[in-house]
Each structure stands twice: as structure tokens, then as C-alpha cells.
Amino acid sequence: MNNPPSPESFRQEFLDNLSAYQGKDLERANANDLYLALAHTVREHLVSRWLTTLSAIDRQDAKMVYYFSAEYLPGRQLNNNLLNTGLTEIARQALAEFNLDLDSLAEQETEPGLGNGGLGRLASCYMDSLAALGYPAVGYGIRYEYGIFQQSFQNGWQVEQADDWLRRGAPWEFPQPEEQVEIAFGGRTRHYFDENKLYCVEWMPETRIIGVPYNIFVPGFNSPLVNTLRLWSARATQSFDLQVFNAGDYVRAVEQKTLSENISKVLYPDDTTPQGKLLRLQQQYFFVACSLADILRFYLTRYPSDWSQFPEKAAIQLNDTHPTIAIAELMRLLVDVHKLRWDHAWDITRRTFAYTLHTLLPEALEEWPVQIFEQLLPRHLEIIYEINSRFLQDLRQRFPNDPNRAVRMSIVRETPEKRVRMAYLAAIGSHSINGVSGLQSDLLKSRTLADFYELFPEKFNNKTNGVTPRRFLYIANPRLKDLITSRIGSGWLSDLEQLRRLEEYVTDTEFCSAWHEVKLANKRDLAALIQSRLDIEVDPNSIFDVMVKRLHEYKRQLLKVLHIVTLYHRLRDNPELKITPRTFIFGAKAAPGYQTAKLIIKLINSVGDVVNRDPLVNGKLKVVYFPNFNVSLAERIYPAADLSEQISLAGMEASGTGNMKFALNGAVTLGTYDGANIDIRRLVGAENFFLFGLTADEVFTLRQGGYYPMDYYQSYPELRQTLDSISSGLFSPQHPEIFRSLVDSLLHKDEYMLLADYPSYIEAAESAAQAYADLRRWNCKSMLNTARSGFFSSDRSVREYATEIWKTSPLKIP
Ligand code: 26Q
């Protein structure tokens, strides 16, 4: 099926699939049936390309990239796969003949929410670019039965619901039960000498679990190659069934079976401060052990009992510490099962793994209580101890006069309880350690991992994040895509730096007004969505000031609230005041156990209720909070944004990737000197970016010298008025005290220094409003943001990983 089908044959395939998979005809089919039939039709067009890819990998004995990630956020697949099979127009025409509309069928798709936020979406952008660039790769992960919770608001409070994403059918996945893998947990180890007097260790586990892989095709834009996203689902073993069922207690046996299948049941909805939960460690080991078994099985068919080639044929990228147990598991497989000598196994392991860090917050570095480890993975704990003891020995040799170093760098922390520091295991057991933006990579070297940098400077490198322009510009913003393509052709889709050619149109008035019209039309679309979903009327000519991301104190949604409340008071105190009409748009989920974050959500909704209804405001300010922000909603929001809020405290946001998606869609950033904001500002030009706030160094110095938030409260009357009004219940007349704790914590601690940055934030936000008032000038800024964002393509990031870390090259497919 390499030649595109005619609309007629596509139509027939569609009808056949409607009949084969849904058991329906056009008359009886509902919208979901039609969507599923269409999805099956598209996926069939990927099968032969996928098979060709596998053969090419075999024939060329290609080096594989294995991306290990506990999270993926692929977004909806239909439009993406139509684009990458070149079938969009054919499908559109074919459906039109049945009076069906492609866009409304695409809306039927439930997106797989198998991740929390940035880290999971980055994994999916990288899978997209790997395929587009032709690098053979497998993304390994977990097929959670329930993804990130569905968020709604009740009386302004966040309410979570289970995300039953498989309910309406999952047309993109292929279960491969015959490729299942058995893995183990618990039990104990036995140490002995074998018949050749060789020291051996045997792990005698207590339970076994089966992993069933599900393949999802990952086609690339303009690329013959189709890669695989391979997600594992947990099943109870049959022998397990037999044993417990025969023991007589049928009901308990079924309960136990459910327990093992719980491993892939649900995604943990926290994206920092991981708590050491047994099930979470089980999930991590489960998917890592299944994936390594799969990788070794494949390698051994090519190189039976020859391990010398392994690091030349497999590069494994660890997406944060979540899959780090893979280092101990590969050591176990090589040493215990395949009987390699420790040093040999260690050399192979280190040359195979590379490690990406996505944080700077020390409290976000994963640690597991030794006791949990012992219970779940007794052999792995021994291996980690062995790795650690050899490491500490080397360390003492290199720094004989610094015994403290061993305490600081030990993989096993001793106080307050014994814990395994996964980041240290990853740093020691891999050949590359990378951050995700220039600033974060520098801070890793100078602070978070300074000791490790001193020890292995050659391992440290930076790979600035990127985003796929296919999903976040071409598909999400068809109007802008058409306008851009009308001037510079479509080469930018695979070579995003070509967007620079738009710079010459900055002086072209016709192009500028077309640019403006596109943004306005996108804003009208979003306004219509806001009207229909939230029943709020917003003015498409107001500035769309947008903050969408996870809810976190360090990201400072609360600072945005202080800005809104400040403007509100200005208007109330002076109803004649001329201000640029402004629509504040929020989207953010809070971890269900994160009380402060949930209170901030309630505050945003409460402020919205008051501001949106106040006749004195007269519609000049509107606050919109979309529930359930996810990839699909993001695709509708970025194209309509004027202003992109990236206001984390400097030194806190590792990179950010939403910031890149906004800039690519022509939004201007209002941001701090943090994460990739810094790179965005350098590239788009300081005059096209509204900067405010402390730098990471200033934050550091201020903290050291003693930070007194109360000083700001006393020096800035508007800040005082704002905080007092929140604290005293202006936005919560029924419960005047509910927000007091938020304000108190700002006045007495203010961990993320909102008050220190408040004055410069208000000022920068005001400059943005003034700049917006001059629409011609604003359009130039907008255009230049798009034109100069080519660097942020995930194609660039992936190419850097491939050449500098994985040492791999594209597959040749005729
Ligand atoms: C770990 C253990 C237990 C429970 C949860 C977790 C967990 C899960 C998800 C910890 C962290 C995450 C996700 C982190 C994340 O999304 N980080 C973001 O990664 C982006 C891509 O690099 C960056 O752009 C963001 O700056 C960073 O915050």
C-alpha cells in the first residue's frame, strides 16, 4: 500500500472497516463508530511501512535508540497519522461524499493521557522527530489503564475523575500477547559457588508477573520509516492462577490476580515531590524489566552470546530517574543470567545508558527507602550496594583527604532513613548526563550535581528541549500554516530554521495584515469555544493573555492572580481608567494531594467570578479557566494566544516547552530569566520579549542574605491593597477566610519570591499592554517570534542527541 489510494478505494476501505470492526453500516453507525472505522483505515496504511522498517533494521544491522519513559502524551493520533501518510485530503474527500466532516470525526478521538505534563509530551515530540528524521527507535513505557485524571470544577474547586481512556476503543494499538515477557518481584537471593568454582547469585523471587506489549505505530513526516511506541500492560501469570485457585480460596485468588494487574492500572498524578510508594517502584521496575528483556531478546537473535557489540547496537535514553532501575537490571541480566564478569558488564552498562534530568529542585530527585527496595527487589539492592562500594572506593582514591565527599555522593543516603538516590545511580551508571536548557545544564554543574561534575566533567552536556512543528504549528494552526507556506513554501516543516525567511516580510504591509487576520480568526475560534464550554463572553480584540501548564507554586500562577487583582483595583478605584482590554486564560491541573495548588485553583475561579460579573469592569477584564487542560485543548489555545505567561521563579523551571509552542505560534512571551525563556529571548530579540524579575543568581544571593517579603508589602501600596483584599474575603464573601493562608504564607515565607518579583512583573505586564495597543508594532513582534523560533524544533534536539550521545545515523529505506 505504498501508493496513495484513490478517494474511491479509500471510501471502500472505510466502509469495510466500519463493517469489520464496528459491525455497522453507515445508517447505524454513530460518530464514534465512524471515527473508529476511519482510524482503522488509516492505520492499515502504516502496516507495510512498519514492516519495511523492521526489515531495513535487520538488513542494515542498525543501531537502535531505545527511549525509556514512564510517561508519554501523544495527543490525538488521527490528524497526525493522516498527515504522515499523506492521506489528509483523500480522507477528507472520501468522507465528504458520505456527507461526513473529517474535522468533526477527529474530535471524537479520546487522547491517551499517559503522562503528567512536560516530560511526557517531550517524549512524544521526540518520538515524532525520531521518525521524521529516520532514526530507528522504540519508545518503551507503560500502558496505564487510567491516564492523568479528568479535571472538572465544582463550586470553583478541582474535582478529579478517573480517565477511562480505553472505554471507546483504542484503534491505534496492536496487542502482541505472543511477545509477552515474564518478570519477577520479591523473594530472596542465594549466593553459591557453581561447579567451576565460580561465585554466583541466584534470585529466588516470590511473585511473577507478565508484561504484554502493545505496539503503537509512530510514523514520521515525509519519512518512509515507521517507529514503534511499545507500552507494557501487566497480567497475572497462569501458574499463579493455578496455584492459588487450587488452594481453595477462589475469591481471594481472584483478588490476588487483580493485585498483580494493578501494576499498570493508573498513572501517578504527581509531577514533583515523589513519595516513595511501593506501587510506583513496581511500575518502574515492571516496564524497565520487560523492555530490557525485549531488547536483549532482539539483540541475541543478531549476536548470540556475543556481548561485545551491545553498546554499538543499543542506546538507551533514561527520561529522568523514573527508569533508572534499568541500570541495576541490566547488570543483573549480564552478571547473574549471562555470567559476564562484573567489570565487563559494568563497561557495557555504562556505555549503553544516557540520562536526562528534567528538574533543578532537589526535592524532586527520586529516592527510594532501602526497606521498600529490599522487599521488592532484593537482588537489585545488592547490585546497587556493589556498584556503590566500588564507586566509593574509586572516590576515596581520587580524593583521599575529603572523606565527606563519600557521604555526599554515596548512592545510599544514610539519614533520615536509608534511601537509594536514583539520580546518583543514573549519573554513575551512564556515559552521558544532560539537562534540557542551557541554564539548567549550567546549574546542574554548579549546584545540583556539582560533585558529580567535578568527578566526571566529560559526561555533562546540554540538549535544549524542542517541540514538533507538525503537531504544534501545521496541525494546530492551519491558517498560519497556509499563510507561511504561501510565502516560503513548505520546506519549513522538516527544516524549521527556514521560518527565518519570514523576516523579510516584516515590512510587507499586506503580509502583516494577513498575519493579524490569522491571529484574530484563531482568537474568534477560541472565543467561540469559551462561550460554548464555559458560557463566558470574551472580546477577540482584547489581548489574550495565556498561562497554561501544570499548577505549581514555583510556576507562580498566584503571581498572575496578583496581577489580575491589581488591575481590578485600578479599575474599581477609577472606572474611567483607559486600559487595554484583557482576557486572562488559564489551564492547569493540580496533583490531587497538593492542597495549596488546589486552593490556588479555587482562588483563580473565585477572582474570575467576581471580575467577570462586576459592572464597573465593564468587560475590560475577563478571567477564563478551562478545566481539563490537555494536549487537544493546548492545540486550540496556542494559536489564539497573544501573550505567553512564563513566570516561574528564575532557577526553578528546567526548560519549559509550552513557552516554545507559544512563540512558534506568534505569541510574545512575558517571562522571567528562567529555563528556555532565556534561549527564546536571545533568539527572538530582547525587544520582542517582555522580561521581568530576578535572575537565578539574584535569587540565590537574596536567599543567602535573608529574604523579607514583608518589606515589599510595606513598600508597594498596590501590592498591599491586592493582598489585603484577597486575605479579607473580597473574592470569597461566603467564606471570607479561605484564602488567608495563601496570603499569610506569602507575607511570612514566600518561598518562590512572588513579592520580590511583583513590582517588575506589573511593570512588564503593563509594557506588554501598551505595546499591544499599537497593533502594527505588535504584529511585528508576533511575526518575529515565529520567524526566529526554528531552533526549538524537536528535530534539532533529536539530531543533537543522535550525533552527540547515541552515535547513530538514519536508516536507509529505498
Ligand atoms: C516521580 C516519582 C513518583 C511520582 C511521580 C514522579 C514524577 C512524575 C512526573 C516526577 C516528575 C514528573 C514530570 C516532570 C516534568 O514534567 N518535568 C518537566 O519536564 C519538561 C521537559 O523537559 C521541562 O520542560 C519542564 O521544565 C519540567 O518541569
Side-chain angles (χ1 to χ4, degrees):
M1 290 210 188
N2 279 327
N3 295 323
S6 64
E8 293 72 47
S9 69
F10 190 90
R11 231 169 47 216
Q12 193 52 50
E13 293 166 26
F14 171 75
L15 287 179
D16 291 347
N17 285 326
L18 187 58
S19 152
Y21 289 93
Q22 304 313 117
K24 303 248 178 106
D25 61 13
L26 278 177
E27 244 153 72
R28 292 194 173 269
N30 62 29
N32 189 49
D33 293 323
L34 297 168
Y35 156 70
L36 290 172
L38 178 59
H40 280 112
T41 308
V42 175
R43 112 180 164 160
E44 273 176 30
H45 285 269
L46 291 167
V47 174
S48 68
R49 277 168 59 189
W50 185 70
L51 293 170
T52 309
T53 303
L54 295 190
S55 315
I57 289 170
D58 283 341
R59 253 199 328 276
Q60 291 165 48
D61 190 19
K63 179 168 188 176
M64 297 294 297
V65 174
Y66 298 115
Y67 202 79
F68 276 24
S69 180
E71 306 195 358
Y72 290 91
L73 280 175
R76 287 180 176 152
Q77 299 298 288
L78 180 63
N79 280 328
N80 185 64
N81 291 353
L82 281 169
L83 172 64
N84 291 336
T85 43
L87 290 172
T88 310
E89 284 320 307
I90 292 163
R92 197 180 289 284
Q93 282 175 35
L95 291 171
E97 307 235 346
F98 297 132
N99 262 327
L100 294 172
D101 173 44
L102 175 59
D103 300 327
S104 27
L105 288 196
E107 283 287 307
Q108 289 296 315
E109 182 169 353
T110 312
E111 71 169 70
L114 310 183
N116 274 285
L119 168 147
R121 182 54 234 178
L122 186 78
S124 290
C125 281
Y126 285 1
M127 289 305 294
D128 182 80
S129 286
L130 280 161
L133 297 172
Y135 295 108
V138 179
Y140 281 109
I142 301 172
R143 180 181 179 271
Y144 301 106
E145 211 173 306
Y146 295 89
I148 186 72
F149 63 85
Q150 301 274 330
Q151 179 197 51
S152 59
F153 299 135
Q154 270 174 25
N155 190 24
W157 295 97
Q158 167 172 298
V159 176
E160 301 94 21
Q161 266 189 317
D163 168 53
D164 191 1
W165 71 286
L166 295 163
R167 188 185 54 227
R168 282 151 50 89
W172 303 107
E173 64 179 20
F174 293 86
Q176 312 268 253
E178 72 289 3
E179 291 177 36
Q180 65 177 49
V181 170
E182 193 175 283
I183 62 124
F185 282 109
R188 54 189 190 82
T189 61
R190 185 169 78 91
H191 295 237
Y192 64 97
F193 289 93
D194 72 359
E195 60 276 16
N196 305 319
K197 303 239 158 31
L198 220 64
Y199 181 68
C200 297
V201 185
E202 190 193 358
W203 177 19
M204 297 185 302
E206 183 185 299
T207 45
R208 292 177 190 279
I209 304 237
I210 286 175
V212 177
Y214 285 67
N215 286 346
I216 296 174
F217 291 156
V218 185
F221 178 75
N222 221 344
S223 160
L225 166 144
V226 174
N227 278 330
T228 313
L229 179 61
R230 199 158 163 84
L231 305 179
W232 298 97
S233 178
R235 293 276 180 282
T237 56
Q238 277 185 358
S239 61
F240 174 94
D241 285 5
L242 279 175
Q243 273 172 29
V244 249
F245 282 77
N246 289 341
D249 189 345
Y250 172 77
V251 170
R252 213 184 63 93
V254 177
E255 267 170 29
Q256 291 289 316
K257 183 177 160 78
T258 312
L259 279 186
S260 18
E261 299 186 347
N262 267 347
I263 289 186
S264 55
K265 191 67 74 181
V266 60
L267 168 79
Y268 275 86
D270 304 78
D271 66 348
T272 39
T273 50
Q275 314 132 350
K277 283 275 177 0
L278 187 75
L279 181 60
R280 170 83 186 180
L281 184 59
Q282 281 180 307
Q283 290 186 334
Q284 296 183 348
Y285 179 67
F286 165 71
F287 100 84
V288 154
C290 290
S291 309
L292 280 174
D294 205 39
I295 292 169
L296 262 54
R297 178 165 67 189
F298 178 59
Y299 176 79
L300 287 174
T301 58
R302 296 199 278 176
Y303 296 88
S305 68
D306 169 12
W307 291 100
S308 64
Q309 295 304 300
F310 191 75
E312 265 71 58
K313 295 299 161 190
I316 304 181
Q317 191 69 36
L318 302 173
N319 199 21
D320 215 290
T321 48
H322 318 155
T324 295
I325 189 60
I327 290 171
E329 173 69 358
L330 183 57
M331 284 301 287
R332 185 187 73 82
L333 292 168
L334 296 179
V335 173
D336 293 0
V337 180
H338 295 281
K339 307 292 178 197
L340 264 62
R341 289 193 28 251
W342 180 279
D343 291 324
H344 188 196
W346 185 237
D347 177 63
I348 291 173
T349 299
R350 279 203 314 193
R351 285 162 58 208
T352 302
F353 287 106
Y355 164 46
T356 306
L357 274 113
H358 298 264
T359 190
L360 277 164
L361 314 179
E363 70 268 24
L365 297 179
E366 260 188 309
E367 295 181 353
W368 293 104
V370 159
Q371 194 225 322
I372 287 189
F373 237 102
E374 205 152 27
Q375 194 187 328
L376 216 58
L377 301 168
R379 178 56 185 145
H380 296 78
L381 185 61
E382 290 175 354
I383 290 172
I384 290 171
Y385 280 146
E386 182 65 27
I387 294 172
N388 198 36
S389 108
R390 290 169 184 249
F391 169 68
L392 294 179
Q393 210 173 332
D394 285 355
L395 196 65
R396 286 191 200 99
Q397 254 166 33
R398 270 203 54 185
F399 301 94
N401 303 319
D402 190 357
N404 252 333
R405 207 173 272 268
V407 178
R408 290 203 306 268
M409 299 181 75
S410 170
I411 299 176
V412 183
R413 165 206 279 277
E414 298 290 333
T415 52
E417 63 177 336
K418 276 192 119 182
R419 289 197 205 139
V420 182
R421 296 157 156 162
M422 299 310 273
Y424 294 6
L425 176 59
I428 295 164
S430 60
H431 63 90
S432 163
I433 304 170
N434 79 279
V436 292
S437 75
L439 174 72
Q440 186 227 4
S441 294
D442 287 345
L443 291 173
L444 286 176
K445 293 195 276 189
S446 63
R447 297 186 197 163
T448 320
L449 293 180
D451 285 328
F452 289 90
Y453 179 58
E454 210 182 326
L455 193 62
F456 328 111
E458 71 289 348
K459 288 193 188 184
F460 282 73
N461 64 96
N462 172 247
K463 296 286 166 284
T464 301
N465 284 168
V467 303
T468 171
R470 273 75 65 178
R471 178 172 297 269
F472 290 106
L473 185 50
Y474 188 101
I475 293 174
N477 199 343
R479 295 187 181 97
L480 198 61
K481 172 265 287 185
D482 284 339
L483 178 59
I484 292 172
T485 307
S486 73
R487 303 299 150 109
I488 66 169
S490 57
W492 57 274
L493 265 171
S494 342
D495 174 13
L496 203 60
E497 291 282 3
Q498 287 187 26
L499 289 178
R500 277 207 185 267
R501 289 163 51 196
L502 292 172
E503 279 192 39
E504 66 180 87
Y505 295 93
V506 171
T507 49
D508 173 338
T509 45
E510 195 190 321
F511 184 74
C512 286
S513 75
W515 191 269
H516 177 69
E517 288 305 320
V518 164
K519 185 61 89 180
L520 191 60
N522 292 341
K523 288 168 74 177
R524 286 200 187 100
D525 283 355
L526 190 64
L529 187 72
I530 292 170
Q531 182 68 258
S532 72
R533 283 208 193 160
L534 304 170
D535 200 21
I536 300 174
E537 186 181 341
V538 305
D539 174 5
N541 290 306
S542 64
I543 180 164
F544 277 22
D545 182 337
V546 188
M547 183 163 190
V548 287
K549 50 182 76 249
R550 277 301 282 258
L551 213 140
H552 256 294
E553 287 166 277
Y554 84 78
K555 295 180 189 276
R556 303 200 295 189
Q557 277 92 355
L558 189 52
L559 181 57
K560 182 76 249 163
V561 175
L562 299 186
H563 175 225
I564 299 172
V565 174
T566 301
L567 293 183
Y568 178 57
H569 286 305
R570 284 186 187 171
L571 267 180
R572 291 212 351 158
D573 296 347
N574 176 8
E576 302 306 303
L577 187 71
K578 286 259 167 300
I579 66 161
T580 312
R582 209 156 175 148
T583 301
F584 299 97
I585 298 172
F586 289 91
K589 291 179 182 176
Y594 188 173
Q595 293 309 328
T596 305
K598 292 175 112 172
L599 190 54
I600 294 171
I601 292 180
K602 169 70 177 166
L603 176 62
I604 299 171
N605 282 321
S606 304
V607 168
D609 280 344
V610 171
V611 170
N612 293 351
R613 290 198 187 125
D614 191 330
L616 282 181
V617 172
N618 199 11
K620 283 182 271 190
L621 302 177
K622 284 280 167 74
V623 180
V624 174
Y625 195 150
F626 273 108
N628 207 41
F629 178 67
N630 60 10
V631 177
S632 318
L633 188 55
E635 289 173 29
R636 305 175 76 153
I637 292 179
Y638 297 125
D642 294 310
L643 199 57
S644 154
E645 298 272 354
Q646 308 299 335
I647 62 178
S648 52
L649 176 64
M652 292 286 157
E653 189 69 89
S655 160
T657 43
N659 47 3
M660 302 168 185
K661 295 161 198 167
F662 277 109
L664 199 54
N665 282 281
V668 182
T669 306
L670 169 54
T672 48
Y673 215 62
D674 198 16
N677 297 353
I678 297 177
D679 309 72
I680 293 177
R681 179 168 176 271
R682 190 188 59 244
L683 285 161
V684 306
E687 64 290 1
N688 304 307
F689 185 112
F690 296 95
L691 178 70
F692 74 96
L694 301 166
T695 63
D697 282 338
E698 287 165 349
V699 169
F700 193 69
T701 315
L702 188 54
R703 282 234 164 99
Q704 302 247 298
Y707 168 57
Y708 303 103
M710 197 60 96
D711 294 352
Y712 298 87
Y713 175 81
Q714 268 144 10
S715 319
Y716 294 93
E718 282 200 306
L719 173 61
R720 194 176 330 139
Q721 182 188 26
T722 293
L723 290 174
D724 287 348
S725 68
I726 295 172
S727 192
S728 64
L730 178 62
F731 303 101
S732 51
Q734 319 272 307
H735 302 280
E737 35 356 285
I738 54 171
F739 300 125
R740 171 154 306 152
S741 63
L742 288 177
V743 174
D744 284 349
S745 135
L746 288 181
L747 291 175
H748 299 116
K749 180 149 185 260
D750 193 13
E751 199 181 342
Y752 301 105
M753 300 185 162
L754 279 72
L755 303 200
D757 278 350
Y758 171 89
S760 67
Y761 182 48
I762 300 295
E763 202 180 309
E766 186 50 33
S767 326
Q770 304 223 334
Y772 187 77
D774 180 351
L775 268 180
R776 272 210 9 236
R777 250 183 68 212
W778 184 270
N779 280 325
C780 286
K781 292 188 196 300
S782 165
M783 283 168 54
L784 289 173
N785 266 272
T786 302
R788 296 172 180 173
S789 287
F791 178 75
F792 299 109
S793 169
S794 45
D795 295 347
R796 185 267 315 151
S797 313
V798 163
R799 211 176 268 123
E800 290 179 5
Y801 277 93
T803 53
E804 295 163 26
I805 301 178
W806 305 327
K807 314 277 188 220
T808 131
S809 40
L811 199 65
K812 293 174 210 72
I813 297 182

